[in-house]
Amino acid sequence: MSKTEPGKIFGLEANKEYLLLSTVYDAKSNGAGIKFLDIENGKIVYTTDPFNHEPYCLSNKSIQEIKAQNISPNTIKRLATIKKRDLLHDTISTYTQIFTPTPSEVPRVREILGETWESRIKYHRNWLYDQQLVPGRIYTWNEETRKFSIPKTRKSDLSLPQAVIAQLDEYEGLLENFIYDFTQEIPEIGIVSCDIETEYAENQIPQASDPRHRITCICFSDNSNNAFALVLEREEVDKGQEIDNDSQTINIIRFKNEAELLKKAFEILDQYPVCVTFNGDNFDFPYLNERARELKVNNFSPVIWNRRNRECTLRNGIHLDLYRFFQNVAIRTYAFGNKYQETTLDAIASALLGVGKVKLQKEIADLTEWELIHYCARDAKITRDLLLFDNNTPLKLIFMLSRITRTPIDDLTRTAVSNWVQSLFYSEHRRREYLIPNSEDIQKEKSQFRSSESIIKGKKYKGATVIDPIPGVHFNVTVLDFASLYPSIISAFNLSYETILCNHSECKQNLVPQTKYWVCKKHRGIIADTIGFIKDVRVHWLKPESKKDTSQQDYYKILERSLKVLINASYGVLGSDRFLLYCLPVADSTTAYGRDSIERTIAKAQSLDIKVLYGDTDSVFLLAPSPEQIVEIINWSQTSLGVGLEVEKTYRYVVLSQRKKNYFGVYPNSELDVKGLMGKKRNTPPFLQKAFKNVLEILSKVKSEPEFDAAQTRVKENIRDVYRKLEKGKYSNEDLAITMQMTQHLHKYAVNAQHVKAAWQLEEMYQRQNHNKPLNKSVPAEFIKSGRFIRFVKTKTPDRVTALELMSQKSKIDVKAYRSMIDTIFEQLIGALDIEMEELSTGQVNLMEFFS
């Protein structure tokens, strides 16, 4: 073992505190590369594996059988025997551990030998699981024992009450394994955001694959409130008037040479352990990288661009791309309560920070130097603030999720929640020395047995129970909700891939309701155990603590929110056949228990003479229950069903439409709760969103049933007015524009939907203006990319739509199509209010009104 410096091994000083941030495969050392933050000096320390870990996979063939294959030593380095518990078959089995010279040889072994295990796990993750090291934790390195350990000197104000510890002790080693992840607070870390602007002509979008446009401005904003703007001086661009840059002092550095500008940018990037961007994986960093190559200064660049994985890392730090993090459905839904719908920087920042991008009145190419700085600096600042707002909530959320799921910090921000859950389960299998099964093994053993039939096309099993709503206006409504219903069911009823349909004859009487499945009574399932533990930590410790007014309240809230994200997303992952530990009978049984719970709860409420207005998956809407009746149902649920009910919300009144999952309610404080109604959806034109909002605003002010007549009259007049304005052409093209996102590359769309037609119109315009060539729909588009939002207006043209940018005074609006949209959006609501839609939409505009 070689020492890098006196007193250091692998770059780490003994007994010094380091924060583990990330791991990668290090090609030079042919092992793991680990990025630590030296907490004392705030710098990244990159070190290689001190454990001489080797890539490997497992085979059920003996050492002799494998040797008989005469496989090249370039593929197999050495062989060893190992024992693992096979949960799927409830056996302790012997396997041959096949070590390879490099991770890239593992797939080759699989190719030669056929079935292998643990051969599809990425090497840097495998290293973490084997060492049981946790990203986001603080460690010290001990030279004598050659081990990382948790520093005993680091104290925390967070502690678990003895009563909670007693409840969690039933889980197999989980409390001891996770205690530090909940109680070890996150140290200060140097963070900088980065945003770049380039020089390009109108309608030309710069791309890393074609780095011909100069970089004109790069802005940085760090968490010590320092801001930098590196600007390329151009004779043809006016400096303009100085602008107040959001009350932050910006250190402006001007360059006559673009290469020097890039070198300074790289120098700044190298100073911070964490750099945050918005879409930096797809644009900022690849473009910086390729532009540096063009100017022959790429040897100064700390950016490492992995083209295959479409991600960028940093030589001396880690890179977090917030676009990919906030795009995550679980984060948007459970962490931020669906406060944003679009995943653009402007939309997310406007929703979460209350400030968006600078609104431009002209093209970027036409901005003065000060306007360019202001525009770029704002992007850098709001990108930074998206990580640090609300006392660093998103940053802490990332760290907590990283710790709990055993996922490197930068990996976590780039991957889906299924990846997080998989990592958690894989790490727990490895800790307990269990074999990680192949997906094919589970399908072969369990998933051919299906007990229920799906009633929804494309689903493999029957879903949740949804009781038809009673349409109309209902006052004094209480909604009871099963807290984390599916995770609670998985834990309470021991559902896991190995416990369902187990091979113990004595368990076959332990049937899942409404199915032919049975569940093991002898062993606790690993999935049930892990999910149950995390759920109970949240319910019994974090939730109560997060409501107490203490100095640690904010930290408890972050922890509670982190576990909420994971718990609520876990069933969706387990119920997806793309998840590697997916087991159809587990998913089927979970919804069966859910149906049984909701149906029995409704029956219980009816037995107490409570009118049930609606039931959906994990909640029931009850009309005017007494406090005593609510307590009785909640207590009954815990004892009879094994899952807990709680009061989720109380409405002053709720308006139910005939459609399931479409309603709105008004809370006692007049706040609105709108579910599913089309007027709230993103692809509804602005004029209709505004009209819908106005109607809801009228209804939100209603405090009693007698007030409804006056409110209904006002609602009718508002909707009539929408029809009138449409007929008279009072709405602008912007008001009428429908916004839809391109979810894949343009040429891959099989269906020529409205937004696809509008996208092709824009692509055709681009090709004609820039290349003077006809449109070829069989090749990838240059102008329109996946993820772009397309805005279009319904028109009387062959395509029936026109891209907003191409609308002219001669464009004829398709009034009939928009009338149909008004009908569709309001009919759900109006029907529940006992108003006839036809009364509002016909005969309202006479000739005198039309021409006035």
Side-chain angles (χ1 to χ4, degrees):
M1 186 187 307
S2 62
K3 293 188 178 183
T4 54
E5 288 180 27
K8 292 186 179 182
I9 293 184
F10 294 93
L12 302 182
E13 292 184 33
N15 302 317
K16 192 173 185 180
E17 292 187 349
Y18 295 96
L19 178 68
L20 175 56
L21 293 176
S22 183
T23 55
V24 295
Y25 170 64
D26 184 89
K28 288 183 180 178
S29 67
N30 190 32
I34 314 110
K35 290 184 178 180
F36 288 99
L37 175 72
D38 183 332
I39 294 174
E40 185 181 336
N41 65 26
K43 298 295 183 184
I44 288 284
V45 176
Y46 181 81
T47 181
T48 52
D49 175 27
F51 305 117
N52 298 317
H53 185 273
E54 299 166 287
Y56 67 85
C57 63
L58 305 178
S59 171
N60 58 4
K61 298 183 188 301
S62 67
I63 289 178
Q64 291 73 23
E65 288 176 296
I66 295 172
K67 283 183 174 179
Q69 298 266 357
N70 291 321
I71 301 171
S72 167
N74 293 328
T75 297
I76 293 183
K77 184 177 178 182
R78 65 186 181 90
L79 303 171
T81 300
I82 189 173
K83 288 187 180 295
K84 291 265 188 177
R85 183 176 173 195
D86 177 0
L87 295 180
L88 203 53
H89 301 98
D90 195 18
T91 60
I92 304 293
S93 300
T94 301
Y95 298 90
T96 299
Q97 191 169 17
I98 304 167
F99 295 94
T100 63
T102 66
S104 60
E105 290 302 314
V106 172
R108 174 69 178 149
V109 171
R110 187 171 66 237
E111 200 176 283
I112 295 170
L113 297 182
E115 187 174 33
T116 56
W117 285 267
E118 306 188 5
S119 60
R120 289 182 171 87
I121 305 171
K122 289 185 176 180
Y123 178 72
H124 70 287
R125 296 288 191 93
N126 211 32
W127 184 86
L128 281 174
Y129 304 151
D130 277 341
Q131 309 309 329
Q132 286 293 295
L133 290 174
V134 178
R137 269 193 197 173
I138 299 169
Y139 290 102
T140 58
W141 170 254
N142 187 303
E143 288 189 39
E144 293 180 5
T145 61
R146 288 173 50 77
K147 287 183 179 179
F148 290 103
S149 58
I150 307 294
K152 294 178 181 178
T153 54
R154 182 167 283 271
K155 300 293 183 183
S156 172
D157 293 333
L158 279 72
S159 61
L160 277 75
Q162 283 301 315
V164 175
I165 291 174
Q167 287 174 306
L168 298 176
D169 266 346
E170 66 181 87
Y171 296 100
E172 188 181 332
L174 286 168
L175 179 58
E176 183 183 355
N177 193 35
F178 282 92
I179 186 69
Y180 293 107
D181 305 316
F182 301 137
T183 58
Q184 197 183 70
E185 296 187 45
I186 300 163
E188 288 292 323
I189 306 169
I191 296 169
V192 70
S193 63
C194 176
D195 185 74
I196 76 170
E197 299 300 334
T198 65
E199 182 180 64
Y200 59 93
E202 189 175 355
N203 293 325
Q204 287 183 317
I205 304 298
Q207 301 171 49
S209 58
D210 181 22
R212 55 196 161 108
H213 304 291
R214 291 186 295 177
I215 293 175
T216 55
C217 187
I218 306 178
C219 284
F220 299 93
S221 184
D222 72 15
N223 59 336
S224 296
N225 214 28
N226 298 308
F228 306 90
L230 314 185
V231 187
L232 182 65
E233 290 188 313
R234 294 168 290 165
E235 291 182 3
E236 69 276 16
V237 175
D238 291 336
K239 279 197 168 44
Q241 292 188 335
E242 186 171 338
I243 301 172
D244 177 18
N245 281 287
D246 300 318
S247 301
Q248 63 174 342
T249 302
I250 300 178
N251 182 9
I252 298 172
I253 310 171
R254 294 181 170 85
F255 298 84
K256 297 186 182 298
N257 182 292
E258 186 190 356
E260 293 303 313
L261 182 151
L262 295 188
K263 285 162 68 174
K264 181 62 178 177
F266 297 149
E267 181 185 316
I268 292 173
L269 279 176
D270 255 345
Q271 294 173 9
Y272 293 88
V274 176
C275 178
V276 56
T277 65
F278 195 89
N279 204 28
D281 276 337
N282 289 322
F283 175 64
D284 299 75
F285 280 177
Y287 199 90
L288 265 175
N289 198 66
E290 294 306 285
R291 193 64 191 157
R293 193 180 302 278
E294 282 277 311
L295 299 173
K296 296 184 171 43
V297 292
N298 51 303
N299 57 313
F300 292 92
S301 174
V303 176
I304 301 167
W305 183 18
N306 186 325
R307 295 169 188 262
R308 187 180 68 178
N309 294 340
R310 291 176 51 244
E311 61 188 47
C312 292
T313 57
L314 295 172
R315 179 179 57 213
N316 294 322
I318 65 169
H319 167 222
L320 308 182
D321 185 344
L322 291 191
Y323 170 68
R324 298 172 81 163
F325 178 68
F326 282 103
Q327 193 181 37
N328 191 308
V329 176
I331 293 298
R332 183 179 70 194
T333 305
Y334 302 120
F336 297 110
N338 280 316
K339 288 183 180 177
Y340 58 92
Q341 296 301 314
E342 296 183 15
T343 52
T344 62
L345 178 60
D346 185 56
I348 298 171
S350 296
L352 300 182
L353 306 177
V355 58
K357 290 167 66 73
V358 173
K359 307 298 181 189
L360 295 180
Q361 305 300 319
K362 50 190 174 182
E363 294 292 329
I364 289 179
D366 299 326
L367 298 178
T368 66
E369 186 181 274
W370 269 105
E371 288 171 336
L372 179 65
I373 293 170
H374 183 51
Y375 179 78
C376 187
R378 169 76 67 83
D379 280 4
K381 184 176 185 295
I382 61 179
T383 298
R384 179 202 68 182
D385 290 347
L386 279 178
L387 187 68
L388 304 177
F389 78 92
D390 193 18
N391 193 26
N392 298 344
T393 287
L395 177 68
K396 292 174 182 176
L397 191 64
I398 288 168
F399 265 81
M400 287 304 166
L401 286 169
S402 180
R403 285 177 182 176
I404 296 161
T405 65
R406 282 40 185 161
T407 305
I409 305 288
D410 41 358
D411 277 8
L412 184 120
T413 59
R414 291 185 172 94
T415 53
V417 70
S418 59
N419 191 288
W420 310 347
V421 175
Q422 178 180 295
S423 182
L424 170 62
F425 290 142
Y426 278 12
S427 179
E428 194 57 22
H429 274 75
R430 194 65 59 78
R431 182 182 73 86
R432 302 185 190 194
E433 298 184 354
Y434 295 165
L435 178 73
I436 298 173
N438 290 328
S439 178
E440 297 84 357
D441 299 338
I442 299 174
Q443 309 318 312
K444 181 181 176 182
E445 293 290 327
K446 304 290 176 78
S447 292
Q448 302 204 13
F449 190 108
R450 180 166 63 180
S451 184
S452 74
E453 292 296 328
S454 169
I455 56 175
I456 301 176
K457 187 178 179 180
K459 292 284 186 181
K460 295 181 181 293
Y461 52 91
K462 192 175 180 181
T465 293
V466 183
I467 306 299
D468 288 334
I470 299 175
V473 181
H474 309 279
F475 277 79
N476 189 13
V477 175
T478 296
V479 181
L480 293 184
D481 174 76
F482 288 101
S484 303
L485 176 62
Y486 287 157
S488 296
I489 285 170
I490 289 167
S491 173
F493 299 106
N494 196 28
L495 299 180
S496 191
Y497 70 84
E498 79 276 24
T499 57
I500 197 81
L501 300 171
C502 66
N503 55 11
H504 312 128
S505 58
E506 61 267 40
C507 299
K508 292 188 177 181
Q509 301 306 310
N510 187 27
L511 291 173
V512 176
Q514 306 181 13
T515 76
K516 298 176 183 178
Y517 305 128
W518 65 89
V519 183
C520 187
K521 295 191 294 183
K522 294 183 66 175
H523 302 303
R524 179 75 173 157
I526 189 169
I527 288 175
D529 207 41
T530 308
I531 286 180
F533 170 75
I534 293 174
K535 177 188 71 68
D536 282 355
V537 167
R538 177 177 175 248
V539 171
H540 298 306
W541 179 41
L542 299 177
K543 221 172 178 183
E545 291 293 338
S546 67
K547 293 176 181 177
K548 295 178 182 177
D549 186 13
T550 66
S551 60
Q552 293 297 323
Q553 184 182 30
D554 288 345
Y555 195 74
Y556 280 117
K557 283 181 178 178
I558 297 297
L559 273 170
E560 193 271 333
R561 195 180 297 185
S562 304
L563 296 195
K564 181 180 180 181
V565 170
L566 201 59
I567 285 296
N568 285 317
S570 61
Y571 169 72
V573 169
L574 293 170
S576 168
D577 58 6
R578 289 175 292 183
F579 182 57
L580 293 179
L581 294 179
Y582 167 74
C583 178
L584 187 148
V586 169
D588 202 356
S589 297
T590 306
T591 55
Y593 274 116
R595 291 192 300 273
D596 182 66
S597 297
I598 201 83
E599 288 163 12
R600 289 171 64 186
T601 301
I602 289 170
K604 176 65 177 177
Q606 291 170 338
S607 75
L608 297 174
D609 293 326
I610 303 171
K611 188 174 183 179
V612 178
L613 301 172
Y614 179 48
D616 181 6
T617 308
D618 60 357
S619 57
V620 288
F621 288 56
L622 306 179
L623 181 63
S626 69
E628 294 77 17
Q629 287 173 320
I630 291 172
V631 170
E632 183 173 348
I633 294 175
I634 289 173
N635 291 339
W636 165 86
S637 171
Q638 192 64 58
T639 56
S640 300
L641 302 179
V643 287
L645 265 176
E646 60 186 18
V647 176
E648 183 189 15
K649 46 197 172 187
T650 301
Y651 293 120
R652 181 193 300 157
Y653 73 91
V654 66
V655 178
L656 298 173
S657 74
Q658 290 182 332
R659 297 184 183 181
K660 299 172 182 178
K661 301 181 184 290
N662 283 269
Y663 63 88
F664 87 86
V666 179
Y667 294 120
N669 63 359
S670 296
E671 285 187 12
L672 290 168
D673 181 30
V674 182
K675 300 294 181 185
L677 296 172
M678 290 181 65
K680 291 286 287 184
K681 294 187 177 178
R682 184 177 66 199
N683 57 0
T684 302
F687 85 98
L688 265 180
Q689 288 191 30
K690 184 178 179 182
F692 192 81
K693 182 180 178 182
N694 289 341
V695 167
L696 293 182
E697 188 67 24
I698 293 168
L699 294 172
S700 73
K701 292 181 170 58
V702 173
K703 290 184 169 58
S704 62
E705 293 187 51
E707 293 181 21
F708 241 96
D709 287 344
Q712 283 182 317
T713 301
R714 290 182 63 198
V715 166
K716 289 178 184 179
E717 283 305 312
N718 267 261
I719 298 174
R720 286 191 185 112
D721 194 45
V722 176
Y723 284 109
R724 285 196 202 97
K725 286 182 176 178
L726 176 66
E727 297 283 0
K728 292 183 179 182
K730 297 291 187 181
Y731 292 119
S732 69
N733 293 334
E734 290 274 348
D735 292 331
L736 298 168
I738 298 166
T739 303
M740 296 184 72
Q741 189 174 23
M742 304 298 293
T743 56
Q744 57 184 329
H745 294 301
L746 184 51
H747 70 288
K748 290 186 177 180
Y749 277 92
V751 178
N752 205 15
Q754 292 180 324
H755 69 300
V756 176
K757 291 177 182 178
W760 278 122
Q761 292 170 9
L762 293 170
E763 182 65 25
E764 183 176 25
M765 174 201 71
Y766 173 82
Q767 296 293 347
R768 188 171 60 249
Q769 289 182 354
N770 292 276
H771 302 302
N772 194 25
K773 64 181 183 182
L775 184 66
N776 182 356
K777 290 189 175 183
S778 63
V779 299
E782 290 184 43
F783 184 54
I784 303 298
K785 300 292 184 184
S786 175
R788 176 163 175 166
F789 287 91
I790 303 296
R791 302 176 71 197
F792 61 89
V793 178
K794 292 177 177 284
T795 55
K796 293 182 177 180
T797 57
D799 279 345
R800 309 304 297 173
V801 298
T802 303
L804 180 62
E805 295 90 330
L806 303 178
M807 289 290 290
S808 68
Q809 290 184 336
K810 294 181 180 180
S811 301
K812 292 187 177 181
I813 305 299
D814 190 342
V815 173
K816 185 178 179 181
Y818 280 105
R819 284 178 62 88
S820 178
M821 289 186 74
I822 299 172
D823 293 346
T824 302
I825 282 169
F826 281 111
E827 68 182 354
Q828 303 167 43
L829 184 62
I830 294 308
L833 295 175
D834 200 25
I835 300 172
E836 290 294 330
M837 199 68 204
E838 197 170 321
E839 170 193 347
L840 305 178
S841 63
T842 58
Q844 299 304 318
V845 184
N846 59 37
L847 287 176
M848 291 299 292
E849 285 180 317
F850 189 82
F851 288 106
S852 62

